[in-house]
Amino acid sequence: MRSGSRRPERSEHDRAGHHPTALRHSAIRKSAPLRTLAALGALGMLALTGCGSTTIDDIAVGPDKGWQSAFRDARNSGASPIEGSRHLTLSWSRPIGGPLAAATTIGPDGQMFVTTRTETDCVGKPGTTGTIFSFQMPTGRKRFCNALGPDAIAAASAVDGLSNVYVGDDGAVFSFNALGQPRWRTPVAGVPVSVQFTAESTVLSVSQSGQVDILNRQTGDREVSTYQVLGDPDFLAHPDVARPPDGQGIGDCAVGGPQCPVANVSALDRDSGRFYLTAWRPGAPAASLVALHYADKKVTQDWSVDILADGSATSPALSADGKTLYVGDNSGRLLAVDTADGHTEWTQQLGFTPRGGISVHDKLLIPSGDDGHLMALRDNGNGVDIAWERKDLTLRGRPVQTGGDTGYVVVPMGDALNLLTFETTTGKTVASAPLPGAQGSTVATAIGPEGEVVVAARIGELFAFTPDR
């Protein structure tokens, strides 16, 4: 580890040389008397509770803490209600062992989840594989490591109130508990680049190939029939059509290119059941913004507008009242769209291409990017104004907002990347802290349940900052 960083402790699995699967297998080898006692105990508990079905979902989605999905919440707000600290200290940093392409998610107890692609598996066996890691907030200690398909590096994840994680895999949605033990795996077409929770606490999964599924969080069973954003293939007209590889076009998702039909994380309005995604249909001159509706055990399309020039650049973000949707395109525009019918309310040229997402808090919009500069726009109801801009600060990832008018963003300063703390109302710099050894850009900045700030660098390293209260 680099100087100034705390060396993460080795997990129980690291020290013992066990993978969670091996632990489960060893736990099965109980003696017969112990198995009998366990069975009798389970029957006694069953009789006391009267609950004999494992399909009952008694696990809450969770409190409004942590960083539950890629952009914190179902609206993709990129903003935390926790009052952000203006005095942060680097607590630890650690390499992951592979690059990062998807956002970090954080459970209500601070447990973190990231996906990557490594040249060895979790027990050191050579071979390219996707991997999901979990780390603990206080020390960066590894909680578990599980193998996934190689394209899972680009997959989304979401975490519920008991730190069960739901993550995209090659051709599936996978769920693990807080210890890394598999709960279920449901096959889908493609790689889920969007995972959200609905108002009914089900899992909304959307793959880059346009397959939409609503899954039971307890079992992974489909709640409704699969919906295809690009339409269902006509097997009568084309009986020999082959299913494309699950990872097809996944490399184009990062820039909203035409080879990735659905490139972004959907924004969900839990009150109405409507959710919004971007889709670039084959042969279309521009990408579309699409409104879908989940109700009465089915998914239907409400509207679709072809307004994203050169493809989508950001995931859509929904206003707190659910009336306005914000999205960026590859022509360098930020657009506001009326959610009632999809008509454009206003557009704003940024002077750079936004990338990733938009932080939205009280009508203050702060776009992300790997270039361009830090700026904020204000939606005034009739149009948009530039609230402030800092052309001296180049973006290297996703700005986030917190309570107390405090924001965080990674910017280059000299030869180093720094985490900048700023006032969201004015853009004024409050403080900065270096990310030791970090290069290039970052893929995510996330806020923990106690106001911790976690930065994920694309080169494959995590940096955790602790508030000085």
Side-chain angles (χ1 to χ4, degrees):
M1 297 296 294
R2 301 181 180 92
S3 59
S5 300
R6 182 182 304 169
R7 182 182 298 275
E9 301 173 25
R10 301 178 69 195
S11 70
E12 297 94 332
H13 303 152
D14 293 334
R15 292 195 300 269
H18 289 311
H19 185 270
T21 304
L23 293 179
R24 291 196 304 279
H25 289 173
S26 65
I28 293 173
R29 293 192 294 267
K30 295 179 180 179
S31 64
L34 286 178
R35 286 199 301 269
T36 303
L37 288 173
L40 290 173
L43 288 172
M45 183 62 70
L46 200 61
L48 288 171
T49 62
C51 175
S53 173
T54 60
T55 63
I56 296 176
D57 185 0
D58 58 355
I59 304 172
V61 165
D64 198 22
K65 299 178 70 176
W67 205 261
Q68 189 176 73
S69 56
F71 297 95
R72 197 196 77 81
D73 54 16
R75 294 189 297 109
N76 286 346
S77 71
S80 172
I82 294 173
E83 184 169 345
S85 172
R86 298 196 171 191
H87 302 281
L88 298 170
T89 300
L90 180 64
S91 178
W92 53 264
S93 66
R94 65 170 298 158
I96 303 302
L100 296 173
T104 306
T105 50
I106 305 175
D109 60 354
Q111 187 171 347
M112 291 171 284
F113 304 89
V114 297
T115 57
T116 185
R117 182 185 292 144
T118 57
E119 298 304 318
T120 60
D121 65 13
C122 292
V123 294
K125 184 179 178 180
T128 302
T129 183
T131 306
I132 180 170
F133 285 105
S134 178
F135 303 101
Q136 295 175 331
M137 182 65 76
T139 62
R141 178 182 180 181
K142 184 170 69 177
R143 190 73 183 270
F144 68 78
C145 166
N146 284 342
L148 299 172
D151 294 309
I153 182 176
S157 64
V159 56
D160 68 18
L162 287 183
S163 294
N164 297 310
V165 65
Y166 307 80
V167 62
D169 193 7
D170 283 48
V173 180
F174 221 143
S175 179
F176 301 95
N177 67 16
L179 298 177
Q181 297 167 323
R183 299 175 66 232
W184 48 260
R185 186 178 190 272
T186 300
V188 302
V191 178
V193 294
S194 177
V195 180
Q196 295 280 23
F197 296 129
T198 71
E200 298 179 354
S201 295
T202 52
V203 176
L204 168 63
S205 162
V206 187
S207 75
Q208 98 285 6
S209 63
Q211 178 168 315
V212 177
D213 286 292
I214 309 292
L215 307 177
N216 184 293
R217 260 187 328 116
Q218 194 80 336
T219 65
D221 294 338
R222 284 180 169 82
E223 297 286 300
V224 300
S225 298
T226 290
Y227 181 89
Q228 301 288 351
V229 175
L230 305 184
D232 291 304
D234 187 343
F235 291 106
L236 292 178
H238 306 283
D240 297 327
V241 65
R243 171 174 165 166
D246 289 317
Q248 180 171 299
I250 199 74
D252 233 11
C253 294
V255 295
Q259 301 306 312
C260 178
V262 178
N264 300 296
V265 179
S266 60
L268 171 69
D269 184 349
R270 287 180 175 162
D271 292 334
S272 68
R274 182 182 278 178
F275 58 101
Y276 309 87
L277 50 82
T278 64
W280 200 337
R281 296 182 171 93
S288 304
L289 190 62
V290 183
L292 299 174
H293 195 199
Y294 168 51
D296 301 324
K297 294 297 181 180
K298 62 181 179 180
V299 174
T300 55
Q301 178 177 297
D302 287 347
W303 50 257
S304 177
V305 288
D306 304 335
I307 58 174
L308 302 176
D310 301 324
S312 62
T314 73
S315 293
L318 191 63
S319 63
D321 61 11
K323 295 180 178 180
T324 307
L325 196 67
Y326 305 101
V327 66
D329 68 15
N330 282 326
S331 72
R333 297 184 303 167
L334 190 65
L335 300 90
V337 174
D338 189 322
T339 58
D341 56 12
H343 82 264
T344 299
E345 296 180 340
W346 52 256
T347 64
Q348 175 69 40
Q349 280 288 346
L350 300 177
F352 61 91
T353 301
R355 188 66 66 205
I358 307 158
S359 179
V360 181
H361 181 65
D362 290 339
K363 298 291 185 176
L364 189 71
L365 317 174
I366 305 179
S368 304
D370 294 328
D371 53 21
H373 59 276
L374 181 64
M375 67 183 302
L377 300 96
R378 175 77 62 180
D379 186 338
N380 60 33
N382 298 313
V384 62
D385 301 312
I386 296 178
W388 51 261
E389 54 185 332
R390 294 284 306 272
K391 292 187 176 181
D392 59 316
L393 296 175
T394 303
L395 293 172
R396 287 294 182 265
R398 302 175 182 175
V400 297
Q401 300 182 69
T402 67
D405 298 328
T406 301
Y408 307 103
V409 64
V410 175
V411 297
M413 292 184 175
D415 296 330
L417 293 182
N418 278 250
L419 177 66
L420 183 84
T421 304
F422 64 94
E423 288 184 353
T424 57
T425 53
T426 64
K428 177 183 176 181
T429 296
V430 174
S432 64
L435 307 179
Q439 301 174 0
S441 186
T442 62
V443 69
T445 300
I447 310 299
E450 303 300 328
E452 307 95 337
V453 180
V454 178
V455 176
R458 290 185 184 276
I459 60 173
E461 191 157 14
L462 291 180
F463 300 85
F465 293 84
T466 302
D468 293 335
R469 302 285 186 190

